[in-house]
Amino acid sequence: QVQLVDSGGGSVQAGGSLRLSCAVSGYISRGNCMAWFRQAPGKSREGVAAICDHDPSTIYDGSVEGRFTISQDNAKSTVYLQMNSLKPEDTAMYYCAARRPDQGGMWFLPATYAYWGQGTQVTVSS
């Protein structure tokens, strides 16, 4: 059984940093991507970053490129999202996501991910 557990959210002032973690258990396709998504109230879920076993190995949405870094430990049991220079518009619930072996497609499409964490809230004040 695949399980993802998100943690690390919190409240910070603009310009601050947070590191999110996603603990992964169970089988995950090693030839695919894991990703972080976020969803603000009244908005659709959007892809933030992905880490993949193919080139390019990391992918970012333009709104976070240069400020956020996605990584994973050597055992691929934890995926991280380091968030620096946070802005109020980064405020959202953040979710990690993983695919089944048969899933593919554009990394930023939520429908292409079968497994989701429970979410962790990030709030950035100005």
Side-chain angles (χ1 to χ4, degrees), residues 67-118:
R67 299 188 298 122
F68 290 11
T69 303
I70 189 170
S71 63
Q72 60 187 10
D73 65 359
N74 289 337
K76 298 186 179 181
S77 61
T78 306
V79 178
Y80 303 99
L81 185 69
Q82 177 67 43
M83 306 186 296
N84 299 327
S85 302
L86 283 160
K87 304 176 181 180
E89 51 264 44
D90 294 318
T91 295
M93 186 73 80
Y94 283 70
Y95 301 89
C96 70
R99 287 171 164 169
R100 290 192 314 266
D102 63 308
Q103 291 183 299
M106 297 296 182
W107 71 272
F108 50 83
L109 295 176
T112 66
Y113 294 81
Y115 308 109
W116 292 85
Q118 82 285 3

Side-chain angles (χ1 to χ4, degrees), residues 8-109:
S11 297
V12 297
Q13 290 191 327
S17 298
L18 285 172
R19 189 176 81 156
L20 306 183
S21 298
C22 174
V24 181
S25 61
Y27 173 75
I28 295 288
S29 170
R30 298 302 185 213
N32 217 322
C33 299
M34 292 196 64
W36 284 97
F37 286 77
R38 65 186 179 188
Q39 188 167 18
K43 296 188 176 181
S44 57
R45 192 166 296 191
E46 63 177 8
V48 175
I51 187 163
C52 305
D53 287 341
H54 55 73
D55 287 331
S57 58
T58 56
I59 313 168
Y60 298 92
D61 181 75
S63 65
V64 306
E65 192 153 19
R67 299 188 298 122
F68 290 11
T69 303
I70 189 170
S71 63
Q72 60 187 10
D73 65 359
N74 289 337
K76 298 186 179 181
S77 61
T78 306
V79 178
Y80 303 99
L81 185 69
Q82 177 67 43
M83 306 186 296
N84 299 327
S85 302
L86 283 160
K87 304 176 181 180
E89 51 264 44
D90 294 318
T91 295
M93 186 73 80
Y94 283 70
Y95 301 89
C96 70
R99 287 171 164 169
R100 290 192 314 266
D102 63 308
Q103 291 183 299
M106 297 296 182
W107 71 272
F108 50 83
L109 295 176

